[in-house]
Amino acid sequence: MAPPPASAVADAMNAPARPRDSQTNVDIMAVTKGFHWPWLLAFLFAVAGVLMALGALIYETYYGLGVAGYQAPVFWGVYIITFVFWIGIGHAGTLISAILFLFRAKWRNAINRGAETMTVFAVLTAALFPLIHIGRLWKFYFLLPYPNQRYLWVNFKSPLLWDVFAINTYLTISVLFFIVGLIPDIAVARDRAVGWKKAIYTIVAAGWQGTGKQWKAHNRAVLHLSGIATPLVLSVHSIVSWDFAMSIVPGWHATIFAPYFVAGAIFGGFAMVLVVMIPVRRIFRLERYITDYHFENMARFILFTSLICGYAYGAEYFIAWYSGVEPEQTSFWQRAFGPYWFSTWCMIIFNVVMPQLLWIKKLRTNIPFLFVLSFFINLGMWFERYVIIITSLSREYVPAAWGLYIPSTVELIVLSGSFCWFSMFFLLFLKIFPIIAISEVKELEIHARDHAQAQAQGGAH
Amino acid sequence: MSELDRRDFLKIVGLSAGAAAAAGCSDPADKLIPYVIQPEEITPGIAVMYASTCQECSAACGLHVKTREGRPIKLEGNPEHPINQGRLCARGQAGIGRTYHPDRIEGPAQRSGDGSLQALTWDDAKNKLAAKLGSAASKTWILGGTVGPSLDGLLDGFAKAAGIGGRLSYDSFGQQALIAASQSVFGVAAAPIFDVSDADLVIDFGSDFLDTGVSPTEHAGQLAKSRDMNAHADGGARLISIGPRQNLTASNADIWVPAAAGSEGLLALALAKAVAKKTGSNIASSAISGADIGKAVSAAGIERASFDRVAEKIASAHHAVALPPGIAAATTAGAGAAAAVLLLNAVIGALGHQLKYPASDARPVSSLKDVLALIGEMKAGNVDCLLIHDLNPVYSLPASAGFKEALAKVDLVVSFASLIDETSEVSNLLLPDHTSMERWGDANPRPGVRSIVQPTIRPLFDTQALGDTLLSVARAMGGGVADGLPAGSWKSVVEANWSDTNWRQALARGGVFEATPTRDVSVSSDAAYLRPSAPRLQGGGAFTVIAFPHSYYGDGRGAALPWMQEIPDPVTKLSWNSWAEISLKKAKEMGVVFGDVIKIETESGSIEISAFPRGGVRDDVVAIPIGQGHTVGHYASMAGDDQPGVARGANVAAILPAAHDEAGGQAFLSTSAKVSKAGRFRRLALSQWTDNQRKRGLAQEVSIHDLTKGGMAHFAAVANASEDSGHGEAAAGGHHFEGPPFEFDPKNDAEPGQPYRWGMTIDNDKCTGCSACIAACYIENNGVIVGELEAIRHREMNWIRIERYVGEGNDDVREDSERRPTPDGEILGHAEVRHLPMLCQHCGAAPCEAVCPVIATYHSPEGINGMTYNRCVGTRYCANNCVYKVRRFNYFDYGRLNWPGLLGLMLNPDVTVRNQGVMEKCSFCSQRIEAARQPAKDEGREIGDGEVVTACQQACPSDAITFGNYREESSSVSTLARQGEDRAYHALQELNTRPAVTYLAQVRREKNEGVH
């Protein structure tokens, strides 16, 4: 065999000064560059909200949970509702990253990163609430099975303990999956950065060079992590739902809770993805990457899960009536027509009625409509947890002990603070790392280009 | 990361360790300091008991005061005392708060012109008073409440020796009318003594003897005995209650006759006539023959058929007794009404059996008429100095009497009050008396019963016993005034009065108790009987004002005590405020809902209170509790809620005329009122959302009819069989009762191989709803009082509550679906109330234990559901999962903040004071179980039956609660559950929680037709 020509060898030995920057890189990294007014305003607003909530929390921790709106017999309120809400939100991201990956659904690639970011920060937000809502925050570590002198174990039979394991597992896996998936994109950022930023990106990129071996390892890691994360989508919120289903409270003690909550989580999660990504897409001019095709698919998911939720609502009411158990029947009737009728009907209309408009194809790709609908779905999902928790607790077995719960100012400040906390992290992430998975989008582009080339070169296969 | 050298590493480790150690710091540990010189009788950790007498009302029950390290911490009943026999009502339990109360006046003081107080020494104070008396004794009056014989004697002696113008010993709840009636009917100037233990029919003409009568603890115990299902298989005594408002007695009655206010006397005389006709008796025939039955029936506003039914019942009874009208029914013709009831008693043969007269006449006490005369003198400027003790006349007298205005004309007003009150606030000189735990004294509730009051703690402040003050003032007056008085101290005066007894023995026992010598009486043959007549009501309003004594406030003195404010009223379940009861129909007509403020106007004044519509009052009445509406006091007024000087609720005395009956006693039922909406809303703390138990079988009832056929099992079979056909047996109480679906034995829910499974049997038939158990539990277990704002938000910390349901309930899903509580199940004339004491059931399969993530709540080997406060992180999952809703959460740092003043001194050292953020609930008085365990261990035996008495069990006047060991076959708790197995059930048993509390269903003794 003849040796290669000297010029080719010389070319190969001279590495290019910088890697070629594709249009994709430029577009997506443009989000992290430059100054955007809306971003700054949103960020300042979020920080202010977080600080206010922090103040409210310090006040509450010092004086006691009495400053919240709890009234016997309703011992759980806005904090648990918000906890379940945020955990639920996270599931859509994991579903998109992990489950759709395993199903090889190509359309996930553009929204995958944004959704996964949302998941990680949603779980981070949710993880705060078990601390916030307990009476002795400073003794939170009693919930962990740590070795101690008195041989004290935790109660493994308690659903709240299962939550501890589930949430921690979910957080760990989500973060790992997230970071592993991010590495190639961090490398892109590293290659374009200068100065101290480059140093930090270099450390976080963990030496990614994009070699074949690294890609192979990366793909295997992502595959395995997807495999681990997939069951979590179903298990974590099932476990959270068992906080309610494993109790004896009428209105909670129902077998439908696990699938109902999982479907509801995905439902609310997708809605949150839309609420988050639609403004990001608009403000940062990412229309080329997130297209009607993506919205169409997300809308279909929303419609599907909305139907499951609607079925679950119906099933709950049917079983309550069919069971003949009067406490159950009364609890459900009063959900719809008692003191909390407003929340219940908000829930039903926002979650079941309004999403039915998505049967109309034109609306599935109508971005403003999707944004408004998603906002209402998020509201509806928050109300769903409100209805489940508050109405069931207020109408239990002993009629003399019935009561009413009204959220207090402190709780509402903390609730809005949780949204600000989430937004704060999300906005920071926007400015630091690519919000769209560059490597995965490029993968699709390459695939599409090859496919087009192959077609151009003659005939179908 | 760059290189980490050894120095940096150690620095980091040190800092982290320091941070960890700092984080581990909690509150600094307090040190317990042992006695340097230990008093002989005190062993730290062991309680010392003293016998004394309760002074919260005139019943004068005997006390055992439990002291720890020199401080009284709990009051129990004295088992040897004939009046209460070891039980103690809620008011008596709460009395311990007076000693440590933040309202206490800490020493003698003088009020200057601008209203501020300057402290004085006792010497200065007594000299001042002595000087005044020296110059103006004849224009000095003493106005006080009723006191024990020793102090009464000393006051008389002082008045005589000092040349005082006059002395009034006044009790607004006195029995002048009854004494005058006795004089008229029997020629005896004494109040009769009632004993219903052997009765088979008790007719209450409005005395409310179970709750606010003259001796509620004693009478409740007697009624429990006469209705004990174990002693009387036929149900024992029947109870008929007559009155316009369903008070606690009517709530426990078999028949409630909703007679119009003030018609009791006419009804009694009419009944006497009807019964005499049936039985053929001719006792007092001349007096009775004048009765007009038709007029009485129409005055009462009931149907003739109902009247006949009641008359028939009375005629067929063998040991019937009728109780005369009480405070709420005291009209201007009160003596006449009482006379009618006495005549009825004569006809039905109660004389000498259920109704006895003491051999000696009643000690004369002053009446409202006498007080009005004094006010007249004050207004005329004839009173220069007024000494006020054991009374709060500025508050309790009807405002229209003008006492406060007349007081302005008195030069020197001296108050001996221990706690600040409305009278002390306008007094010039304060010479505070000791509280009842700090002073000597005695009581003589009836002849033969002499009860000691002895101090159980050194005086906490610079106060002085009234007796000592009088003696020192008399001595300071000089001029031989003191010659007429005993030498020595007040204590020696008391001792001298007891010199005819074995003093040491009396101190140990609590007094000298002998049978009351009685005399036989018969209806006088003279003609001059007082006649009952229709009540004279001032004003022309559409509503009759019923001012009824609140279960806990008395004449107002109870309102100062925090437990009396927080424990819900046993009938309405309201706390911390006043309310005005109007009927549901009238409320609807006026467009008034629960919480709407209404204005009640009489000719004497007007007040605005939140309305409480209920079915248990007549359409033509508005009922307001006496005793609230104080403007002074940490708990009595809004001062504790940072609104000093603002009244808590309304003082009904503001709208009452200064009316009195034939004997001069205050006629509380003497005015009508105009009621209108005030246009605003003021939420009240209502501890129950609804009185509808929705056929869930919480408070169950079985008819006497079905009991004879095999009890609940038979009842269930009949009910279930006839479900399809609709209504069950007419005599049955309802038709959704579910028999126990899971047979279980409480014995099994404790560790095998050890002898105990603690449990309780609660007899709903005995429970009257009085809530003595709640007060006892609060004080025994350091229960915190949360205040009105928190009570409105249902954050009370009571470990036991009494649920008050009406009937079996209505299970229509639409019931009680409003945005506000709807306790509207009562029906006029129907006696369907069921009381259910609800506390932690210590379930064998406890829903709370399964869900606590940190095992802060667990099942002890002896079957108790334990609560480890230090482990609790406060997730509150257990409270959500508790089906009985008996768990309480510390929302604030109650343990630190809610014991103002010296109240923290009464905390029980054997019970943890709970931190912020932890759950708490009934522990079956585990501290008492542990206290019994050590002596048993020392003697090498098990804890025997009756050695552990829970606080609630100990207090209950009706002995409704029994605690003990289910694993011991012969224990009371097992025996009662066995004996009552025809009535035994467990609350919410279909949920299979396997509770350790067995309830015995209430017994329905009469058909539920209602009286119209």
Side-chain angles (χ1 to χ4, degrees):
Chain A
M1 207 175 134
S7 57
V9 174
D11 278 340
M13 281 173 61
N14 292 328
R18 281 162 53 108
R20 258 172 314 142
D21 233 0
S22 67
Q23 186 59 36
T24 311
N25 284 9
V26 169
D27 286 343
I28 294 175
M29 292 310 294
V31 176
T32 63
K33 298 248 176 307
F35 182 77
H36 298 90
W37 265 116
W39 183 94
L40 184 66
L41 279 172
F43 186 69
L44 287 175
F45 189 73
V47 171
V50 169
L51 289 175
M52 212 162 94
L54 189 64
L57 273 176
I58 292 174
Y59 173 69
E60 185 183 74
T61 307
Y62 183 75
Y63 283 110
L65 281 178
V67 303
Y70 300 111
Q71 296 192 44
V74 182
F75 287 94
W76 279 355
V78 166
Y79 298 146
I80 292 290
I81 296 170
T82 313
F83 163 71
V84 178
F85 176 78
W86 282 113
I87 288 285
I89 297 277
H91 282 64
T94 317
L95 183 141
I96 293 174
S97 311
I99 298 185
L100 292 183
F101 175 78
L102 291 176
F103 283 146
R104 305 282 182 242
K106 299 279 186 288
W107 61 273
R108 69 180 260 289
N109 288 13
I111 50 166
N112 156 46
R113 174 65 38 70
E116 188 62 28
T117 309
M118 188 197 74
T119 290
V120 170
F121 295 134
V123 178
L124 224 72
T125 312
L128 293 174
F129 282 96
L131 301 178
I132 293 171
H133 108 282
I134 59 177
R136 296 206 296 165
L137 159 61
W138 52 96
K139 299 282 189 199
F140 76 94
Y141 54 89
F142 282 172
L143 288 161
L144 304 169
Y146 67 96
N148 58 77
Q149 285 171 306
R150 287 166 291 167
Y151 300 111
L152 289 176
W153 279 115
V154 293
N155 182 8
F156 293 106
K157 289 193 290 189
S158 167
L160 286 187
L161 225 293
W162 305 338
D163 270 358
V164 171
F165 287 115
I167 306 298
N168 280 319
T169 309
Y170 194 38
L171 188 62
T172 313
I173 300 297
S174 295
V175 169
L176 273 177
F177 191 24
F178 190 48
I179 291 176
V180 167
L182 255 182
I183 289 177
D185 289 355
I186 298 176
V188 170
R190 171 199 62 194
D191 293 340
R192 311 175 75 227
V194 288
W196 60 273
K197 288 192 195 160
K198 189 182 178 81
I200 296 179
Y201 279 128
T202 308
I203 294 171
V204 184
W208 180 264
Q209 291 302 327
T211 65
K213 247 175 120 167
Q214 286 179 339
W215 273 115
K216 225 170 135 179
H218 183 260
N219 284 344
R220 238 196 345 258
V222 169
L223 180 68
H224 288 149
L225 283 168
S226 296
I228 297 174
T230 296
L232 288 180
V233 175
L234 299 170
S235 71
V236 172
H237 223 184
S238 296
I239 291 174
V240 170
S241 80
W242 290 336
D243 284 349
F244 310 112
M246 290 294 166
S247 78
I248 200 173
V249 178
W252 283 7
H253 190 67
T255 49
I256 200 169
F257 263 57
Y260 165 28
F261 266 50
V262 171
I266 295 168
F267 179 47
F270 267 99
M272 184 60 100
V273 170
L274 285 176
V275 166
V276 161
M277 291 309 285
I278 288 176
V280 166
R281 170 182 182 262
R282 174 71 207 282
I283 292 166
F284 298 106
R285 308 249 149 257
L286 296 169
E287 288 89 344
R288 213 188 116 220
Y289 299 94
I290 306 174
T291 63
D292 281 355
Y293 177 53
H294 300 102
F295 288 118
E296 164 93 28
N297 283 321
M298 286 196 272
R300 284 175 189 219
F301 252 103
I302 288 177
L303 181 59
F304 177 57
T305 46
S306 153
L307 289 171
I308 299 179
C309 275
Y311 168 76
Y313 297 158
E316 275 191 312
Y317 272 88
F318 172 74
I319 295 295
W321 168 77
Y322 186 67
S323 70
V325 176
E326 185 266 324
E328 198 85 31
Q329 293 171 331
T330 301
S331 179
F332 276 94
W333 192 92
Q334 295 211 10
R335 251 192 217 191
F337 303 110
Y340 291 107
W341 63 270
F342 180 73
S343 312
T344 308
W345 288 104
C346 276
M347 168 185 102
I348 295 176
I349 292 172
F350 295 166
N351 289 350
V352 180
V353 175
M354 282 173 68
Q356 300 312 307
L357 291 168
L358 292 175
W359 284 107
I360 303 169
K361 175 149 173 113
K362 258 181 81 176
L363 287 177
R364 289 204 288 272
T365 49
N366 181 333
I367 312 296
F369 171 76
L370 283 177
F371 182 72
V372 171
L373 177 68
S374 302
F375 175 76
F376 276 108
I377 290 174
N378 275 323
L379 211 59
M381 284 314 291
W382 196 90
F383 270 120
E384 179 192 288
R385 279 59 175 255
Y386 185 89
V387 165
I388 292 172
I389 294 174
I390 309 298
T391 66
S392 304
L393 288 178
S394 71
R395 294 288 183 266
E396 276 203 56
Y397 290 101
V398 175
W402 285 4
L404 217 59
Y405 166 86
I406 301 161
S408 73
T409 316
V410 170
E411 286 169 302
L412 295 175
I413 292 177
V414 173
L415 167 62
S416 62
S418 75
F419 279 89
C420 293
W421 167 268
F422 171 81
S423 311
M424 186 178 78
F425 280 115
F426 193 88
L427 289 166
L428 275 176
F429 181 89
L430 266 186
K431 277 293 172 186
I432 299 175
F433 296 114
I435 195 60
I436 295 182
I438 296 176
S439 51
E440 299 188 13
V441 165
K442 280 198 214 169
E443 208 181 289
L444 287 183
E445 286 186 351
I446 292 170
H447 202 77
R449 201 181 53 202
D450 290 347
H451 198 71
Q453 273 186 353
Q455 286 214 311
Q457 277 173 6
H461 285 270
Chain B
M1 204 170 269
S2 55
E3 319 266 310
L4 192 64
D5 70 10
R6 196 183 67 249
R7 292 227 170 102
D8 292 336
F9 175 71
L10 287 173
K11 273 190 219 158
I12 292 175
V13 164
L15 191 62
S16 317
C25 281
S26 49
D27 303 314
D30 290 326
K31 305 229 183 305
L32 289 172
I33 303 174
Y35 284 111
V36 174
I37 300 172
Q38 183 164 313
E40 247 182 65
E41 65 272 14
I42 294 184
T43 308
I46 310 283
V48 178
M49 311 289 285
Y50 289 96
S52 188
T53 308
C54 177
Q55 317 223 281
E56 291 297 312
C57 81
S58 56
C61 297
L63 292 178
H64 270 178
V65 182
K66 176 178 173 191
T67 65
R68 278 287 296 268
E69 286 87 51
R71 302 186 314 276
I73 59 168
K74 180 79 166 62
L75 301 177
E76 315 288 3
N78 180 352
E80 297 187 61
H81 202 278
I83 303 254
N84 58 325
Q85 294 172 31
R87 298 127 190 160
L88 194 62
C89 75
R91 290 181 66 187
Q93 294 279 348
I96 193 167
R98 286 198 199 275
T99 313
Y100 307 107
H101 208 282
D103 285 351
R104 281 206 62 185
I105 301 173
E106 299 187 9
Q110 185 175 35
R111 196 176 296 278
S112 53
D114 63 354
S116 65
L117 286 172
Q118 273 115 29
L120 296 173
T121 63
W122 274 103
D123 274 341
D124 282 341
K126 82 166 183 265
N127 288 334
K128 268 199 193 335
L129 185 53
K132 183 70 179 181
L133 288 176
S135 61
S138 58
K139 292 178 89 177
T140 300
W141 285 68
I142 302 178
L143 172 63
T146 50
V147 294
S150 291
L151 188 56
D152 199 50
L154 183 60
L155 278 162
D156 276 339
F158 176 82
K160 190 152 152 235
I164 299 274
R167 178 187 164 221
L168 294 182
S169 173
Y170 175 65
D171 180 4
S172 53
F173 289 179
Q175 296 191 70
Q176 285 89 0
L178 184 55
I179 295 171
S182 302
Q183 176 72 55
S184 168
V185 175
F186 300 121
V188 164
I193 301 165
F194 291 94
D195 183 347
V196 303
S197 342
D198 292 326
D200 65 354
L201 176 65
V202 180
I203 312 133
D204 180 20
F205 281 90
S207 75
D208 199 13
F209 71 106
L210 290 179
D211 190 31
T212 56
V214 291
S215 194
T217 309
E218 182 182 22
H219 288 143
Q222 289 172 353
L223 190 72
K225 234 192 292 202
S226 69
R227 282 157 76 92
D228 188 351
M229 290 302 301
N230 290 331
H232 311 273
D234 63 349
R238 304 300 195 255
L239 176 59
I240 300 177
S241 181
I242 300 176
R245 168 186 181 263
Q246 189 173 39
N247 52 27
L248 194 63
T249 304
S251 301
N252 286 289
D254 300 302
I255 297 175
W256 170 37
V257 179
S263 65
E264 291 89 358
L266 289 169
L267 261 183
L269 202 62
L271 280 169
K273 183 173 180 185
V275 169
K277 190 150 161 228
K278 281 190 207 281
T279 59
S281 156
N282 60 359
I283 298 175
S285 46
S286 54
I288 297 170
S289 58
D292 183 336
I293 295 183
K295 196 157 148 234
V297 167
S298 74
I302 58 174
E303 285 168 11
R304 182 59 194 257
S306 305
F307 176 88
D308 289 334
R309 197 172 129 214
V310 173
E312 178 56 45
K313 265 223 109 44
I314 301 176
S316 46
H318 302 292
H319 310 288
V321 60
L323 302 173
I327 307 300
T331 65
T332 49
V341 173
L342 291 174
L343 284 171
L344 176 60
N345 273 311
V347 169
I348 61 183
L351 288 181
H353 301 110
Q354 283 72 39
L355 188 164
K356 294 189 175 125
Y357 275 93
S360 46
D361 285 353
R363 220 165 52 230
V365 294
S366 316
S367 66
L368 179 66
K369 198 159 151 207
D370 300 322
V371 175
L372 292 174
L374 172 63
I375 295 176
E377 294 292 317
M378 284 160 67
K379 283 190 180 139
N382 297 337
V383 177
D384 217 19
C385 174
L386 190 59
L387 309 178
I388 308 176
H389 71 90
D390 295 296
L391 195 66
N392 187 2
V394 170
Y395 168 81
S396 59
L397 289 173
S400 47
F403 182 80
K404 193 164 177 194
E405 294 75 24
L407 204 60
K409 295 202 166 159
V410 177
D411 186 47
L412 180 68
V413 180
V414 182
S415 165
F416 296 95
S418 309
L419 271 59
I420 53 170
D421 58 28
E422 287 80 356
T423 305
S424 74
E425 287 291 290
V426 296
S427 301
N428 308 109
L429 193 59
L430 301 178
L431 303 176
D433 192 1
H434 292 330
T435 58
S436 56
M437 299 278 111
E438 296 167 323
R439 65 177 175 227
W440 288 99
D442 52 18
N444 195 348
R446 56 172 181 257
V449 178
R450 294 171 68 186
S451 200
I452 286 264
V453 176
Q454 64 174 308
T456 54
I457 186 173
R458 263 231 174 103
L460 287 169
F461 298 108
D462 187 19
T463 55
Q464 191 173 77
L466 176 58
D468 280 321
T469 310
L470 291 172
L471 287 169
S472 63
V473 167
R475 289 168 195 153
M477 280 173 75
V481 167
D483 296 343
L485 290 173
S489 67
W490 163 240
K491 179 183 173 195
S492 60
V493 171
V494 175
E495 274 192 58
N497 286 337
W498 285 72
S499 57
D500 60 327
T501 67
N502 182 338
W503 176 239
R504 293 229 77 88
Q505 202 179 68
L507 281 179
R509 259 194 107 192
V512 173
F513 312 125
E514 285 152 0
T516 302
T518 58
R519 56 181 140 173
D520 290 328
V521 299
S522 55
V523 178
S524 309
S525 50
D526 306 329
Y529 295 118
L530 294 167
R531 299 264 170 236
S533 53
R536 211 173 55 233
L537 299 173
Q538 276 191 18
F543 291 84
T544 304
V545 173
I546 296 183
F548 64 92
H550 187 280
S551 308
Y552 306 135
Y553 305 148
D555 57 357
R557 65 184 73 176
L561 297 167
W563 305 277
M564 302 286 86
Q565 292 283 2
E566 180 124 319
I567 296 175
D569 172 60
V571 172
T572 58
K573 299 298 170 193
L574 290 165
S575 57
W576 286 105
N577 216 306
S578 310
W579 65 90
E581 297 174 12
I582 51 177
S583 72
L584 293 172
K585 178 157 160 262
K586 279 290 179 212
K588 202 157 159 199
E589 273 173 29
M590 288 168 54
V592 162
V593 299
F594 167 53
D596 278 338
V597 177
I598 54 178
K599 185 167 173 193
I600 302 162
E601 282 176 84
T602 68
E603 287 185 356
S604 311
S606 78
I607 48 177
E608 292 188 357
I609 331 183
S610 295
F612 182 72
R614 61 182 283 218
V617 288
R618 291 179 62 94
D619 290 335
D620 53 10
V621 307
V622 58
I624 303 152
I626 297 171
Q628 194 71 288
H630 292 265
T631 50
V632 170
H634 183 93
Y635 296 107
S637 74
M638 300 294 283
D641 287 343
D642 291 323
Q643 295 179 57
V646 175
R648 179 177 293 288
N651 184 358
V652 73
I655 59 169
L656 292 178
H660 58 80
D661 57 37
E662 307 94 317
Q666 182 170 0
F668 286 88
L669 182 62
S670 51
T671 182
S672 64
K674 204 172 71 141
V675 175
S676 54
K677 278 179 87 159
R680 52 191 176 89
F681 183 85
R682 207 274 191 206
R683 197 177 305 275
L684 295 179
L686 178 63
S687 69
Q688 241 185 241
W689 186 265
T690 174
D691 51 15
N692 172 13
Q693 61 172 319
R694 316 183 73 90
K695 299 196 179 137
R696 294 182 185 182
L698 287 157
Q700 293 186 21
E701 193 179 70
V702 65
S703 79
I704 193 82
H705 193 58
D706 289 319
L707 268 183
T708 51
K709 287 198 217 149
M712 309 272 261
H714 166 80
F715 186 18
V718 167
N720 292 331
S722 63
E723 219 165 49
D724 294 325
S725 59
H727 218 63
E729 290 187 359
H735 59 120
H736 264 242
F737 167 70
E738 310 272 334
F742 305 106
E743 294 295 334
F744 75 94
D745 192 345
K747 286 211 280 285
N748 296 333
D749 291 317
E751 204 172 284
Q754 52 87 29
Y756 309 106
R757 199 298 187 223
W758 300 109
M760 228 180 225
T761 301
I762 298 183
D763 192 339
N764 287 350
D765 193 50
K766 288 190 170 163
C767 174
T768 59
C770 73
S771 309
C773 50
I774 301 182
C777 175
Y778 262 120
I779 295 170
E780 169 76 16
N781 293 296
N782 301 335
V784 287
I785 301 298
V786 297
E788 182 175 24
L789 294 172
E790 291 295 285
I792 287 176
R793 292 157 95 186
H794 287 285
R795 294 177 177 179
E796 317 82 31
M797 301 298 281
N798 51 341
W799 290 0
I800 182 172
R801 63 173 184 264
I802 311 255
E803 293 175 1
R804 183 181 191 269
Y805 292 117
V806 179
E808 61 166 5
N810 178 353
D811 60 355
D812 189 325
V813 290
R814 291 165 291 185
E815 278 294 308
D816 304 306
S817 58
E818 284 94 40
R819 210 179 156 70
R820 60 174 190 283
T822 46
D824 53 7
E826 288 172 331
I827 303 174
L828 192 71
H830 283 250
E832 289 209 313
V833 172
R834 305 183 190 180
H835 293 112
L836 180 72
M838 177 52 70
L839 65 163
C840 174
Q841 306 279 298
H842 295 268
C843 307
C848 61
E849 289 166 12
V851 297
C852 173
V854 292
I855 321 186
T857 185
Y858 65 99
H859 213 72
S860 88
E862 297 180 355
I864 289 194
N865 179 285
M867 189 63 218
T868 317
Y869 304 118
N870 281 347
R871 178 72 172 162
C872 176
V873 288
T875 61
R876 307 181 302 289
Y877 201 174
C878 57
N880 284 335
N881 221 25
C882 174
V883 296
Y884 306 101
K885 289 287 169 267
V886 287
R887 288 178 151 270
R888 304 281 175 254
F889 184 68
N890 283 274
Y891 282 105
F892 294 106
D893 204 358
Y894 293 133
R896 230 188 286 254
L897 301 172
N898 287 42
W899 299 92
L902 294 178
L903 279 174
L905 286 180
M906 60 169 281
L907 289 169
N908 185 349
D910 290 333
V911 177
T912 312
V913 175
R914 279 78 64 185
N915 195 6
Q916 167 187 328
V918 301
M919 300 291 310
E920 59 182 61
K921 63 166 189 77
C922 164
S923 63
F924 270 171
C925 280
S926 292
Q927 69 277 7
R928 293 183 174 209
I929 299 175
E930 293 313 306
R933 199 186 299 280
Q934 192 57 52
K937 213 163 151 185
D938 289 343
E939 292 170 24
R941 57 171 175 82
E942 287 161 20
I943 303 174
D945 184 41
E947 279 182 42
V948 181
V949 177
T950 56
C952 49
Q953 173 185 5
Q954 194 169 22
C956 179
S958 313
D959 284 334
I961 301 178
T962 308
F963 175 79
N965 181 6
Y966 270 125
R967 282 192 174 173
E968 192 188 323
E969 286 298 321
S970 57
S971 67
S972 313
V973 74
S974 307
T975 317
L976 280 170
R978 256 201 320 275
Q979 282 176 342
E981 70 185 349
D982 287 344
R983 297 193 283 136
Y985 71 98
H986 298 272
L988 297 174
Q989 53 199 1
E990 62 271 16
L991 295 177
N992 201 23
T993 50
R994 303 210 299 269
V997 177
T998 304
Y999 288 101
L1000 301 179
Q1002 187 164 311
V1003 176
R1004 166 161 292 288
R1005 294 171 169 81
E1006 293 295 319
K1007 281 197 184 144
N1008 182 23
E1009 294 161 336
V1011 172
H1012 309 285

